[in-house]
Structure formats: C-alpha cells, structure tokens
C-alpha cells in the first residue's frame, strides 16, 4: 500500500535556527516527489518537484533533496514568514498525488 | 498570469442537499484534479479530468462526481451531503496528465464546505 509519512508533525524554531523536515515514502513507482507550502485557510503553494535519487533543488532558504526512500526539506536560517505547514506528496501515476499529513513549522522571532 | 480559480470560496449546506463547486484552471492547462482536505484525513485525491475525460479516481463514494468542459473548466458535485463531507475542496491544474518531468501541479485556494 502506498504510504507517505512526514516528520516531525510540528516543529518550533528560533529565527535563524536551521533544521530539516523529513518525508519518507513507500510507493509503487514514484513519478515525482512534490513539496508544497500551505498557509492557514489557503491552498498549497508549489515549492519543488524531485524526480530521481540524488536530485536537489533550492529556492531562497529552502533546499529539497531526494533519496530512494525519503526526501528532506532543509530550511536554512529561517524567518518568521517561513511559518507554515509543509506538505510532501508522491505522484505514482498521472496526476494523482498521495500526500503526507504535513509538518507544521513555527519560526519564533 | 492568473492562477487556479475556485468558486465559491465558502458555502454552508444542509444534510441531504447537493452542492456544485467550480474550478477554472490556469490558462493553457488541460488537466484538472480535485482533492478533499480534512483535519483528520489530510489531503485526499478525488479524481482527475483531462480533455473532458476522467483519467483517475480516488477512493470516494459515488456521491462525489465531476466533469470537465471543452474549455478545461471543471465542476465537482456532491449529492446527498453528509456531515462528514465538511472539508476544504481543492482544485489543481497542470499542463498535461502523466508523469512527465516538468509537469507541475498547481492548486487553487479551495472551497470551504460546511454541512450542517
């Protein structure tokens, strides 16, 4: 059975304190690992897609990496505006995304 | 460039009623997918439409249905509403269906449905 697990469920960081969010997946035939950011009351905002083990992508203070079993979202020197829920999702075919339950990040000034 | 547009943003319905939600994809996108988001279950895939044809369907009862028009706009319908159908319904669009590299999936802001 396809499964995507994110950890931790919640993370509180001081401003400037770097950390990583984990997304482990067990899916039959990964066709892309997606990362989204979701603010309260809003739809998910696209961040990255990774397709093959070893691939890395960066955007401002965020860097996503992918291995054969998990993906990491590294946050370097976070700011309060980075506070949000971060979702990862595996695409197993067509445009069907299988989501994890998310990591709720709070960055304290 | 306009994003994915969903209407209405908020609505309240009574048990047993039906509801129709609308989605306009990003211009040029031909794939539209629908998701349900609840605190307990997270984001769950409902179905995907491409060129007016349903391509994929998630594990939801037949009360949940959808369609896509020739201009790629899509609607989803939920009949005989239950309290458990209260959720954020999200529409997502992409240029094409399939797992091609670069086929990014973008979400709208969602429609908040409350069933009382």
């Amino acid at each position: 059975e396809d499964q995507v697990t994110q950890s931790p469920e919640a993370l509180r960081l001081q401003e400037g304190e770097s950390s990583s969010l984990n997304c482990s997946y067990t899916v039959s035939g990964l066709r892309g690992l997606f990362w989204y950011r979701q603010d309260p009351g809003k739809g998910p905002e696209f961040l990255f897609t990774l397709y093959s083990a070893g691939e890395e992508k960066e955007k401002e203070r965020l860097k996503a990496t992918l291995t054969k079993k998990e993906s990491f979202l590294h946050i370097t020197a976070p700011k309060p505006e980075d506070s949000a829920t971060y979702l990862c999702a595996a695409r197993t075919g067509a445009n069907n995304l299988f989501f994890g339950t998310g990591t709720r990040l709070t960055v304290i000034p | 460039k306009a994003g994915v547009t969903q209407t209405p943003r908020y609505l309240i319905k009574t048990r047993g009623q039906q509801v129709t939600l609308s989605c306009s994809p990003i211009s040029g996108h031909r794939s539209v997918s629908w998701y349900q988001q609840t605190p307990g279950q997270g984001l769950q895939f409902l179905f995907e439409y491409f060129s007016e044809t349903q391509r994929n369907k998630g594990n939801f009862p037949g009360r949940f249905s959808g369609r896509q028009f020739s201009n790629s706009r899509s609607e989803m319908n939920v009949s005989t509403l239950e309290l458990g159908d209260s959720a954020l319904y999200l529409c997502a669009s992409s240029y094409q269906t399939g797992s091609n590299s670069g086929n990014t999936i973008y979400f709208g802001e969602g429609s908040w449905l409350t069933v009382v």
Side-chain angles (χ1 to χ4, degrees):
Chain A
E1 183 180 319
D2 294 340
Q3 195 163 6
V4 175
T5 304
Q6 291 188 248
S7 62
E9 286 187 18
L11 181 62
R12 289 172 64 90
L13 298 173
Q14 289 290 136
E15 184 172 0
E17 180 187 2
S18 302
S19 188
S20 296
L21 282 55
N22 177 264
C23 171
S24 62
Y25 61 91
T26 307
V27 298
S28 50
L30 182 72
R31 300 286 185 268
L33 191 291
F34 289 68
W35 282 98
Y36 290 88
R37 167 195 170 127
Q38 187 173 27
D39 293 298
K42 296 200 169 185
E45 175 189 345
F46 173 76
L47 294 174
F48 307 107
T49 310
L50 303 166
Y51 287 93
S52 55
E55 188 175 0
E56 299 182 352
K57 288 190 176 175
E58 287 188 68
K59 178 181 178 180
E60 296 180 356
R61 295 177 292 283
L62 300 177
K63 178 180 174 181
T65 62
L66 182 67
T67 72
K68 288 188 177 179
K69 292 185 177 181
E70 55 193 349
S71 178
F72 293 93
L73 185 65
H74 307 277
I75 304 177
T76 302
K79 298 182 178 181
E81 53 262 42
D82 294 323
S83 297
T85 295
Y86 291 85
L87 298 163
C88 77
R91 178 167 61 191
T92 57
N95 284 336
N96 176 359
L97 293 180
F98 197 85
F99 278 87
T101 52
T103 293
R104 188 172 65 254
L105 174 66
T106 304
V107 182
I108 304 161
Chain B
K1 186 174 180 180
V4 180
T5 305
Q6 292 188 243
T7 56
R9 287 279 285 134
Y10 304 93
L11 66 167
I12 300 174
K13 291 286 187 178
T14 304
R15 269 183 303 174
Q17 287 187 315
Q18 73 166 15
V19 65
T20 299
L21 309 177
S22 180
C23 173
S24 292
I26 293 170
S27 178
H29 284 193
R30 295 191 294 160
S31 168
V32 173
S33 304
W34 289 89
Y35 291 78
Q36 181 195 66
Q37 186 173 28
T38 59
Q41 300 295 322
L43 268 149
Q44 292 186 289
F45 173 77
L46 280 158
F47 30 66
E48 181 205 3
Y49 286 86
F50 181 80
S51 294
E52 302 179 65
T53 301
Q54 187 179 91
R55 296 301 178 112
N56 283 286
K57 190 175 191 308
N59 190 25
F60 279 83
R63 300 186 296 108
F64 293 81
S65 63
R67 59 177 176 169
Q68 186 180 33
F69 302 96
S70 58
N71 61 359
S72 295
R73 192 177 68 83
S74 177
E75 290 181 346
M76 71 161 281
N77 183 276
V78 188
S79 62
T80 319
L81 285 165
E82 301 177 358
L83 294 178
D85 296 332
S86 295
L88 176 64
Y89 289 89
L90 291 158
C91 171
S93 81
S94 61
Y95 177 68
Q96 58 188 322
T97 188
S99 55
N100 308 58
S101 176
N103 188 28
T104 302
I105 299 172
Y106 298 94
F107 283 82
E109 297 286 60
S111 292
W112 286 94
L113 170 65
T114 301
V115 182
V116 297

